[in-house]
Amino acid sequence: MSFDAPTVIRTKRDGRRLSDEAIDWVIDGYTHGRIAAEQMSALLMAVFLRGMDYGETARWTAAMVASGERLDFTALRRGGNPLPTVDKHSTGGVGDKITLPLVSVVAACGAAVPQASGRGLGHTGGTLDKLESIAGFSGVVSNDQVRQQLHDVGAAIFAAGQLAPADAKLYALRDITGTVESLPLIASSVMSKKIAEGAGALVLDVKVGSGAFMQSEPLARELAETMVALGAEHGLPTCALLTDMNRPLGAAVGNALEVAEALEVLAGGGPADVVELTVCLAREMLALAGIDGCDPAQTLQDGTAMDRFRALIAAQGGDLAIPLPVGKYSETVTAARSGTMGDIDAMAVGLAVWRLGAGRSRPGEVVQSGAGLQIHRQPGSPVAAGEPLFTLYTDTPERFEQAMAELNAGFTIGHSPPTRRSLVIDRITS
Ligand code: URA
């Protein structure tokens, strides 16, 4: 059967299903440069507006997996014993630096984490952008090195490269065409990378709330169920936690600032919500990896997780002895009056940090490692007039005005503490 891009675009634009053959053709054609970015952008927008059913999403995912290599770690051994592999993926949040302590905790408990990671998407940060704020760190790692690191260190965090290359191209295109917040596009993007990456099991952190791509709980639940089903279809045991993303995670948002906060958590301190989520996700990962008898919280206290993190960074060329970059310019927001800090809106903070230069608005743009925002007063804390609430950092001070405008719309000082919400909302398995 022969296809052409305008017909495929019109099919979806008019709300009809894409056939399996059309999906295979479009993903292969875009991956190999036979379909122009303008055409793919139009199709993505049609998918964004019209959606795809489960069958289309499953085929789109399979076509993205087939666009590149698949890794297989089933033969991995340590000390003569099989080495279980397990990964986690977050659907994207604000201040979400959990991967950094999490992979280290899981490695310290004896599983291995092969993690194909992404860059920032929209207003959310990406693990690779964060880690690249460490001098010398490289996410470009050969398959042999990944295998070696899993054996020696218990973790590797790398750019997907030849794993689902269709996703890398689509991810970058979605980021700049307003087509990120689409359930089938998120599900296929996440699961294609994770299926190709070859981990033995997967835990998903599906964010819900103002700072998430899925802002309502029913939509986040549907996303989680879709991804868990895609995992099962591809023989990848997958479970998902629905977690709150109405507020930023922790007190630091921005690439280098988040690495610094992750180091605090690895040193046994850090914000309670970051520690709680790290430990919850680690428990899920260890259960899927078949490891019991290891307390994730203990590895943060006794330094074994920190040892793994240092080894991981060193294996990928990073030097933690070199100070992390800090934006050259800073501005502090102070309290206009006394009261109680109300909710801090994750989307407002994410957009402020993106405006400060921590994210991209053009393809391939270099992000500012030192751009970001530090939160000095968490929701519910008492504040006195004139006290610092937030400090914003950037290398390009003309960005402050727009960043401040985003931030100012995202917090209040009132008389009573905001409603408490649980961080983990639900757990979804097949
Ligand atoms: N994470 C991904 O890998 N892809 C998305 O589309 C969103 C979050």
Side-chain angles (χ1 to χ4, degrees):
M1 194 179 247
S2 79
F3 293 94
D4 61 86
T7 308
V8 176
I9 294 165
R10 275 196 297 270
T11 303
K12 190 42 77 181
R13 182 199 67 187
D14 296 343
R16 282 175 283 131
R17 276 194 97 249
L18 298 177
S19 67
D20 288 353
E21 295 74 19
I23 290 172
D24 292 350
W25 178 83
V26 98
I27 295 293
D28 187 61
Y30 183 59
T31 307
H32 295 102
R34 291 189 302 275
I35 294 178
E38 296 87 320
Q39 294 174 312
M40 199 64 202
S41 303
L43 180 59
L44 289 174
M45 187 54 83
V47 169
F48 180 93
L49 295 171
R50 294 295 198 165
M52 289 200 287
D53 66 21
Y54 180 79
E56 290 172 291
T57 308
R59 189 66 179 210
W60 188 283
T61 306
M64 297 221 291
V65 174
S67 71
E69 306 174 4
R70 263 182 98 157
L71 300 180
D72 179 359
F73 300 113
T74 46
L76 213 57
R77 298 273 181 286
R78 190 188 276 152
N81 299 314
L83 179 56
T85 56
V86 58
D87 190 14
K88 88 97 201 189
H89 194 86
S90 152
T91 55
V94 177
D96 184 1
K97 68 283 293 172
I98 299 291
T99 289
L100 279 54
L102 179 64
V103 300
S104 317
V105 165
V106 171
C109 281
V113 187
Q115 177 157 116
S117 269
R119 302 197 173 276
L121 193 60
H123 66 283
T124 68
T127 300
L128 286 178
D129 289 334
K130 296 179 217 263
L131 286 173
E132 283 171 1
S133 65
I134 301 172
F137 181 90
S138 171
V140 181
V141 177
S142 70
N143 293 349
D144 284 345
Q145 188 183 336
V146 170
R147 226 173 278 280
Q148 194 64 46
Q149 267 183 236
L150 293 182
H151 176 271
D152 298 347
V153 178
I157 300 180
F158 48 95
Q162 282 316 302
L163 305 176
D167 176 55
K169 284 189 83 172
L170 287 173
Y171 192 90
L173 192 59
R174 287 168 56 216
D175 193 20
I176 54 162
T177 55
T179 52
V180 170
E181 304 90 338
S182 152
L183 192 153
L185 295 179
I186 296 174
S188 54
S189 163
V190 170
M191 294 310 289
S192 60
K193 279 193 283 284
K194 298 288 131 170
I195 292 161
E197 150 199 290
L202 177 65
V203 175
L204 295 165
D205 179 2
V206 179
K207 302 289 189 195
V208 54
S210 77
F213 294 130
M214 296 291 113
Q215 298 192 341
S216 79
E217 195 175 313
L219 273 179
R221 195 175 289 280
E222 191 185 335
L223 173 62
E225 286 167 357
T226 303
M227 293 194 289
V228 167
L230 288 171
E233 226 176 270
H234 288 264
L236 174 63
T238 303
C239 87
L241 296 185
L242 282 194
T243 71
D244 184 66
M245 187 32 72
N246 285 295
R247 295 174 185 164
L249 266 171
V253 185
N255 298 310
L257 287 171
E258 293 192 39
V259 173
E261 190 168 82
L263 285 166
E264 282 173 33
V265 171
L266 285 160
D273 57 348
V274 179
V275 175
E276 180 188 341
L277 192 52
T278 301
V279 168
C280 281
L281 288 164
R283 289 209 176 102
E284 296 291 340
M285 290 171 77
L286 293 169
L288 281 178
I291 292 181
D292 55 19
C294 179
D295 175 6
Q298 181 60 25
T299 68
L300 293 172
Q301 297 304 319
D302 64 18
T304 51
M306 177 68 100
D307 292 344
R308 295 294 168 149
F309 185 70
R310 289 189 177 285
L312 164 68
I313 298 303
Q316 294 186 221
D319 186 349
L320 284 166
I322 297 178
L324 290 163
V326 182
K328 290 194 193 76
Y329 301 88
S330 66
E331 281 209 7
T332 298
V333 177
T334 53
R337 60 194 179 97
S338 300
T340 302
M341 191 72 177
D343 252 329
I344 301 176
D345 179 57
M347 178 60 95
V349 170
L351 289 173
V353 169
W354 177 73
R355 296 248 182 237
L356 288 168
R360 296 175 181 79
S361 53
R362 289 191 310 277
E365 197 174 355
V366 177
V367 298
Q368 293 184 24
S369 293
L373 178 155
Q374 192 76 39
I375 301 170
H376 302 300
R377 289 286 179 277
Q378 286 291 347
S381 307
V383 295
E387 271 186 345
L389 301 178
F390 305 95
T391 304
L392 287 71
Y393 298 91
T394 183
D395 293 335
T396 39
E398 62 277 13
R399 292 172 176 267
F400 279 129
E401 194 182 331
Q402 280 192 312
M404 289 285 191
E406 303 284 5
L407 180 62
N408 282 332
F411 74 95
T412 50
I413 296 175
H415 296 295
S416 48
T419 337
R420 283 179 73 90
R421 273 186 291 265
S422 337
L423 190 51
V424 178
I425 298 163
D426 205 355
R427 180 172 181 276
I428 289 158
T429 52
S430 55

